[in-house]
Amino acid sequence: MIDLRSDTVTRPTPAMLKAMTEAEVGDDVFAEDPTVNAFEEKIANLFGMEAGLFVPSGTMGNQLCLHVLTTPGDEVILDETGHIFNYESGAAAHLSSLQLHPLKGKRGKISPELIEPAIRPKNEWDPHTRVIALENTTNKGGGAFYAKKELAEIRTLADKHGLDVHLDGARIWNALTVSGIGPEFFGTIADTLSVCFSKGLGAPVGSMILGNRDHVKRARRIRKMWGGGMRQIGLLAAAADYAVEHHWPLLKEDHRRARAFAEAVAAHPAFHVDSAAVETNIVLFDVVQGTVEKAIQNFAGAGVGMVPFGAKTIRATFHFQIDDEALEKVLQVVEDFPI
Ligand SMILES: Cc1ncc(COP(=O)(O)O)c(C=O)c1O
């Protein structure tokens, strides 16, 4: 199957596996894994942050960051399509006693005009607005990314109201690729940042949270409490490091292929998509003839996997294990899709 269901479906390459087997390891709960320690320092430096902590998943990364930034009863402002709001099993309520305040942004992005009226007055009876959580690129928003100016304006607003900014950068590598923003800029706009190595970068496991030394020290204890203390994970850090070095440069090809796919979909009468809005590796398109279920079945029957992403919407996601040959086959399947 040509698997466009997600960019998480990639398999480790032989070269990545080799890097893993060659990694020097130690017990990371004792902070004695040299590969992990070096990798945490490297990624923290890359993003201009004081410290980093390797964690098993993007979900744990987001939740640790929210936990260290808040106290129970606080409120987090985010877009209504945000991963934290939709796909983390209600963890913010369960693990940190937080209330999420979703806003209707555009393609998963929120702006100061939307955020400022949502900041609560400081009354005893109001929830306490504490964090603005952004996602970059957006998943359910179809891979949209924030421009530098938009991020800077949100930072200014957060400072004006004494709020922290958390950025879910599961696909920040795609955002960096397309926006031309340097990674160190994110250290100036986010208090905490969580980045994934297991999405388009293609590592089998792993995310990292970044913040100041105090955030990371406290997150390290909570990671242990939540059962995320890991031992000889230099193996995984080596895979993630390999992915940053060798797969990050490939993301621009994923973006090109996603755009070509979107153009083919736009040309078919059964579907609707604004192909110009496809900026990174995610394509959301609507089914205008028939149902999403039937369309997904048809694509699967033709050997192409996709996922439903709403009542009328399908998501196709590109990754480095979809090459140009696979793309050509997918384009043909779209062209031949029964009307
Ligand atoms: C935007 C975003 N944030 C966070 C996550 C969570 O990552 P994980 O599946 O590693 O928990 C995902 C997963 O796809 C995501 O798309």
Side-chain angles (χ1 to χ4, degrees):
M1 179 170 72
I2 300 174
D3 200 346
L4 304 181
R5 288 173 305 154
S6 176
D7 49 7
T8 58
V9 300
T10 57
R11 307 290 165 93
T13 61
M16 180 184 277
L17 290 169
K18 183 164 181 286
M20 292 171 77
T21 59
E22 287 170 359
E24 204 186 325
V25 297
D27 190 329
D28 183 55
V29 170
F30 294 153
E32 282 175 2
D33 189 305
T35 307
V36 173
N37 292 343
F39 187 52
E40 287 174 342
E41 200 181 325
K42 170 175 166 172
I43 299 299
N45 286 339
L46 181 70
F47 285 97
M49 292 291 214
E50 278 181 17
L53 182 71
F54 194 75
V55 295
S57 68
T59 299
M60 187 184 275
N62 282 333
Q63 295 302 325
L64 281 172
C65 291
L66 293 184
H67 195 85
V68 299
L69 295 177
T70 58
T71 53
D74 283 350
E75 191 168 69
V76 177
I77 293 177
L78 76 182
D79 185 82
E80 65 178 4
T81 64
H83 196 276
I84 289 170
F85 185 53
N86 290 282
Y87 301 122
E88 301 193 2
S89 317
H94 181 69
L95 297 172
S96 305
S97 303
L98 298 176
Q99 177 160 295
L100 300 179
H101 187 154
L103 304 179
K104 202 177 256 320
K106 286 204 185 91
R107 300 191 63 216
K109 290 172 24 180
I110 50 178
S111 59
E113 296 68 47
L114 275 182
I115 299 167
E116 193 156 32
I119 298 171
R120 309 276 186 178
K122 289 198 173 25
N123 291 318
E124 196 183 300
W125 50 88
D126 276 292
H128 191 175
T129 308
R130 187 79 278 285
V131 177
I132 301 168
L134 308 175
E135 194 173 297
N136 194 27
T137 65
T138 63
N139 179 351
K140 215 171 161 58
F145 66 96
Y146 283 89
K148 196 168 188 174
K149 185 166 171 284
E150 295 173 314
L151 292 168
E153 285 171 359
I154 292 173
R155 179 71 258 174
T156 303
L157 181 75
D159 288 342
K160 178 175 161 196
H161 292 275
L163 305 179
D164 284 332
V165 175
H166 168 65
L167 192 137
D168 174 353
R171 294 187 181 77
I172 199 160
W173 313 100
N174 299 81
L176 293 168
T177 299
V178 70
S179 67
I181 300 174
E184 71 291 344
F185 178 70
F186 286 91
T188 69
I189 67 105
D191 295 281
T192 55
L193 182 58
S194 107
V195 305
C196 289
F197 309 107
S198 61
K199 309 291 177 297
L201 290 191
V205 183
S207 288
M208 193 178 293
I209 65 162
L210 303 163
N212 67 28
R213 280 194 196 85
D214 180 56
H215 293 139
V216 169
K217 184 166 180 248
R218 286 188 293 129
R220 204 179 154 84
R221 172 171 155 71
I222 305 299
R223 181 186 68 170
K224 188 77 180 81
M225 185 189 286
W226 290 350
M230 299 169 287
R231 303 295 175 173
Q232 287 73 24
I233 51 164
L235 297 177
L236 301 180
D241 195 17
Y242 182 91
V244 171
E245 291 302 322
H246 299 273
H247 297 167
W248 183 10
L250 306 179
L251 295 180
K252 56 180 182 305
E253 299 299 318
D254 301 344
H255 300 176
R256 170 178 64 76
R257 293 183 186 114
R259 177 65 76 90
F261 170 77
E263 281 164 8
V265 169
H268 195 291
F271 306 119
H272 175 263
V273 63
D274 176 6
S275 54
V278 174
E279 295 160 310
T280 59
N281 66 328
I282 296 177
V283 182
L284 300 185
F285 62 99
D286 287 342
V287 177
V288 293
Q289 285 174 21
T291 65
V292 163
E293 292 69 30
K294 188 83 188 112
I296 289 203
Q297 254 175 34
N298 270 331
F299 281 124
V304 182
M306 298 184 202
V307 285
F309 230 56
K312 288 181 173 167
T313 311
I314 294 180
R315 187 187 75 174
T317 309
F318 285 77
H319 51 79
F320 79 103
Q321 290 178 341
I322 303 296
D323 59 13
D324 282 334
E325 200 185 323
L327 173 69
E328 287 308 318
K329 286 187 192 147
V330 173
L331 297 183
Q332 196 57 57
V333 167
V334 173
E335 199 183 318
D336 297 343
F337 191 89
I339 298 175

